[in-house]
């Protein structure tokens, strides 16, 4: 297929773009490089360095070598939970308004398919774990609220205009794919932070609370390997059906505590990784684990890289390569 990948110079976007190119698709990446990196765009994909707001009409009109795009994978977004609470306008504009521009441009140019990066943050504090797609959506932060708003918009566009749409709700994405991995200017995620300690770029890691109602008192999350996540995007593209908006949770279905993650990082890196207990971080649910039954049944998807040490090892190899270590 001829595919446009917004945000394809970012972490998840670049891994997906790489896998799409390897699978024989024609890929154009649209990225303003505000948080992405030009060298994260895979060989074989073309980069248009521009924002969606300014460029989406021209990019869809141009198509790929003159032929219209068969689909858009929409990764470009603001994604820092803390920042979304302090600067909501950046998220409503940057996520919701920009995505509406994209949806309208796709309608205008007759682009038939959309795969959208949604998030577990659309659910908020769950009543039940594992979380199914039927769970109530009550986001506890602006980031999650904006992603949920886009999901609602996609549902209406699919029903009214025949768009074939799939939203993928990611749980905690981790790991790397060779030279494609996580490198944020501002890092807030657990595994990259812990690996920065192992690299000597940080003194110690802070564990946000050890008095949660979990086995070891620290928060439990569902870490999904970015390559498994990318695989789900390829399947979503193949299964998208005109006039339908399907929503799938993507996690590996297993929870790991913050302490277990730190311990796995110690084992993989051989570094002692000093850890201090710090106060709870506002907005953190105690346990977030996905039920991905729907993705398994309907997309035939199955996560293959579920071992936490393996996920950490891929991230560690990437981190060391970045630092020239
Ligand atoms: N944590 C620490 N110390 C740190 C960083 C994180 O203890 O220095 C803890 C957090 O409190 C949390 C766990 O490690 O319990 C994982 O935190 P991350 O920041 O790595 O990930 P989150 O679970 O907060 O965020 C993920 C996605 C978001 C999404 C959110 C939904 O990365 O995009 O789930 O709640 F919005």
């Amino acid at each position: 297929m001829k595919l446009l990948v917004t945000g394809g110079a970012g972490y998840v976007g670049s891994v997906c773009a790489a896998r799409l190119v390897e699978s024989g698709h024609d890929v154009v990446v649209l990225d303003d490089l505000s948080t992405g990196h030009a060298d994260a765009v895979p060989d074989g994909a073309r980069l248009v360095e521009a924002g969606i707001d300014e460029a989406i009409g021209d990019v869809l009109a141009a198509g790929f070598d003159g032929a219209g795009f068969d689909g858009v994978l929409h990764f470009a977004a603001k994604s820092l939970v803390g920042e979304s609470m302090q600067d909501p306008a950046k998220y409503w504009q940057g996520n919701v308004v920009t995505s509406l521009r994209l949806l309208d441009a796709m309608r205008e140019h007759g682009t038939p398919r959309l795969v959208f990066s949604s998030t577990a943050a659309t659910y908020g504090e769950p009543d039940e774990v594992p979380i199914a797609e039927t769970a109530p959506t009550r986001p506890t932060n602006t980031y999650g609220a904006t992603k949920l708003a886009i999901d609602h918009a996609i549902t209406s566009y699919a029903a009214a205009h025949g768009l074939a749409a799939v939203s993928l709700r990611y749980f905690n994405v981790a790991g790397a794919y060779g030279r494609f991995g996580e490198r944020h200017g501002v890092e807030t995620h657990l595994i990259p932070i812990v690996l920065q300690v192992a690299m000597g770029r940080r003194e110690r890691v802070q564990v946000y609370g050890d008095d949660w109602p979990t086995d070891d008192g620290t928060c439990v999350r569902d870490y999904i390997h970015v390559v498994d996540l990318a695989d789900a995007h390829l399947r979503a593209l193949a299964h998208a059906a005109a006039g339908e908006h399907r929503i799938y949770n993507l996690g590996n279905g297993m929870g790991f505590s913050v302490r277990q993650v730190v311990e796995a990082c110690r084992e993989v890196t051989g570094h002692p990784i000093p850890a201090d207990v710090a106060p709870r971080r506002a907005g953190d649910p105690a346990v977030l684990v996905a039920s991905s039954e729907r993705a398994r049944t309907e997309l035939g998807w199955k996560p293959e890289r579920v071992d936490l040490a393996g996920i950490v090892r891929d991230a560690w190899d990437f981190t060391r390569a970045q630092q020239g270590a």
Side-chain angles (χ1 to χ4, degrees):
M1 287 191 226
K2 302 188 187 316
L3 299 169
L4 178 66
V5 178
T6 76
Y11 171 37
V12 179
S14 66
V15 174
C16 285
R19 301 290 280 188
L20 289 168
V21 169
E22 285 165 13
S23 304
H25 296 289
D26 295 321
V27 174
V28 173
V29 166
L30 176 62
D31 198 304
D32 63 6
L33 302 184
S34 56
T35 53
H37 307 271
D39 64 1
V41 176
D43 297 337
R46 300 177 190 170
L47 171 64
V48 176
E49 187 185 335
I52 291 174
D53 291 333
E54 59 188 289
I56 191 63
D58 289 345
V59 169
L60 290 183
F64 191 98
D65 289 344
F69 285 105
D70 300 300
V72 175
L73 294 99
H74 180 35
F75 299 95
K78 307 290 171 206
S79 63
L80 296 174
V81 171
E83 182 186 60
S84 79
M85 301 304 282
Q86 281 142 21
D87 189 359
K90 187 169 177 178
Y91 283 72
W92 289 104
Q93 283 289 339
N95 290 351
V96 178
V97 176
T98 299
S99 296
L100 292 177
R101 290 286 291 272
L102 171 67
L103 284 170
D104 279 328
M106 289 177 69
R107 179 160 64 109
E108 192 184 329
H109 295 281
T111 314
R113 285 178 200 81
L114 174 69
V115 178
F116 173 59
S117 301
S118 189
T119 170
T122 52
Y123 295 111
E125 185 82 48
D127 296 331
E128 279 176 31
V129 177
I131 303 171
E133 293 82 355
T134 47
T137 42
R138 297 175 302 223
T140 52
N141 54 63
T142 304
Y143 166 66
T146 63
K147 289 282 186 171
L148 182 60
I150 300 163
D151 274 342
H152 286 315
I154 293 171
T155 302
S156 348
Y157 275 65
H161 307 303
L163 181 68
V166 178
S167 287
L168 299 175
R169 293 191 171 156
Y170 310 165
F171 281 64
N172 288 62
V173 189
Y177 180 49
R179 69 181 185 87
F180 306 101
E182 200 166 4
R183 39 181 171 138
H184 297 122
V186 181
E187 193 50 75
T188 61
H189 292 124
L190 180 63
I191 291 177
I193 284 178
V194 177
L195 295 180
Q196 285 178 358
V197 178
M199 284 299 295
R201 291 175 50 212
R202 253 176 220 262
E203 291 276 305
R204 41 214 313 125
V205 60
Q206 295 194 312
V207 174
Y208 297 142
D210 67 350
D211 56 353
W212 297 91
T214 61
D215 285 349
D216 68 12
T218 66
C219 286
V220 169
R221 295 289 182 272
D222 181 335
Y223 295 88
I224 172 171
H225 196 294
V226 68
V227 174
D228 284 333
L229 193 78
D231 177 38
H233 288 72
L234 272 86
R235 288 169 185 270
L237 265 178
H239 283 79
E244 289 181 25
H245 179 206
R246 300 184 180 177
I247 296 178
Y248 298 103
N249 289 344
L250 296 178
N252 71 33
M254 281 189 298
F256 295 100
S257 72
V258 174
R259 283 207 196 286
Q260 285 176 310
V261 169
V262 174
E263 197 48 47
C265 292
R266 287 181 181 133
E267 277 164 26
V268 167
T269 64
H271 191 283
I273 308 181
D276 300 323
V277 176
R280 290 182 176 193
R281 185 171 69 176
D284 270 345
V287 181
L288 282 179
V289 176
S291 163
S292 302
E293 267 319 300
R294 191 185 277 181
R296 288 171 191 255
T297 313
E298 295 185 15
L299 301 180
W301 176 78
K302 184 171 165 291
E304 304 284 351
R305 298 157 186 83
V306 294
D307 167 48
L308 181 61
I311 293 174
V312 168
R313 191 169 303 111
D314 287 350
W316 178 233
D317 289 346
F318 170 80
T319 306
R320 283 196 304 170
Q322 284 294 310
Q323 303 298 313

